[in-house]
Amino acid sequence: MKKVYVSAQLPTLALDKLQQNHLAVAVYQGEGLITRAELLAQVRDVDFLITTLSTEVDEAIIDAAPQLKLIANFGAGFNNIDVDYARSKGILVSNTPQVSTNSVTELTIGLILALSHRIVEGDHQMRASGFPGWAPLYFLGHEISGKALGIVGLGNIGREIAKKATALGMHVSYFSPRRISAADENALEVNYKSFADLIQTSDYISINAPLTPQTHHQFDAAVFAQMKSTAALINVGRGPIVDETALLQALKNHQIGGAALDVYENEPEFDAGFKTLKNVILTPHIGNATVEARDAMAAIVANNVILMNQDEQPKFVVDR
């Protein structure tokens, strides 16, 4: 019987599928994230590894698993895995793209609305000093209708954000290394802009690009200096795309108006300085944290293991 190791607790449907297909399944049961030492010990005789974005799978982990055939990553990203080294060892790596699209899109729109209407800030006030009474100039925010949204990275998530933002009356522009066709731009009601033009003219900027050597610290001190002083940055993409030290300084110096972060440069760690700022919303990487998205992700990783066990090609194999 082939062995599967799961480095974090998953929705039960994944485990049920694996066990129904006569696979020996072991799941990490500890508190918090699995340690490197524990993972090294557990992978020595496994055929399939299901892991998460928060767990690094590097050369040492791969070398410790001589029987390993597939690393099924529970997440759309795969920066936690040394994909090239795995491939050199004949090990496939898969991910779970697309199924997170709607959840991440909804969170992005929610963060834009929360920033503009100061929803989180208002909640904090109500829990602290309370409500002093309605007044014409009290606790003013902004409507997002008519505002300019700039999307950096127009993949599946970027496109869905564009659709929902347009429906809410926003004017949407995008920057991406590859411009989409004029027909697609018209259908989405989006305008292409250079990166420099987009950051200078947008009221809200949503980061939805993948993490690559080119996008690492794409948002740095020089970029924040070019943004509108009232602009807000929303990052639900990848943490290291933003230089967090530079962002914190830009917020403290009022170079930009606000930020909403769901991902972090060195997560789960982040600079405590962000917690002192009222114009910042911090969420704990919950972009696809819905029952619907996580169930769909669980189905993908389980089905990919089952396919490999049947000597068939899994879906969503990472090829870079």
Side-chain angles (χ1 to χ4, degrees), residues 1-7 23-27 38-50 61-62 64-71 91:
M1 184 178 288
K2 298 290 180 62
K3 295 184 178 181
V4 185
Y5 187 70
V6 186
S7 71
L23 289 154
V25 183
V27 182
E38 178 72 8
L39 186 60
L40 278 167
Q42 293 291 342
V43 299
R44 298 193 183 282
D45 61 347
V46 302
D47 301 280
F48 311 107
L49 173 63
I50 296 177
I61 302 293
I62 293 169
Q67 297 174 204
L68 193 59
K69 302 173 183 65
L70 172 70
I71 304 168
I91 300 167

Side-chain angles (χ1 to χ4, degrees), residues 80-153:
N80 57 308
I81 299 171
D82 191 331
V83 176
D84 293 333
Y85 190 70
R87 185 185 296 120
S88 75
K89 295 290 185 177
I91 300 167
L92 297 183
V93 177
S94 66
N95 64 340
T96 59
Q98 303 174 9
V99 293
S100 299
T101 297
N102 189 66
S103 180
V104 176
T105 298
E106 289 183 356
L107 177 64
T108 303
I109 296 298
L111 290 173
I112 291 172
L113 287 167
L115 278 171
S116 61
H117 286 272
R118 302 172 67 185
I119 294 172
V120 175
E121 188 181 349
D123 176 80
H124 289 167
Q125 172 142 331
M126 292 296 290
R127 294 171 189 273
S129 60
F131 178 34
W134 189 93
L137 300 181
Y138 175 69
F139 224 86
L140 298 181
H142 292 278
E143 297 176 11
I144 67 171
S145 180
K147 301 301 190 298
L149 170 65
I151 298 174
V152 178

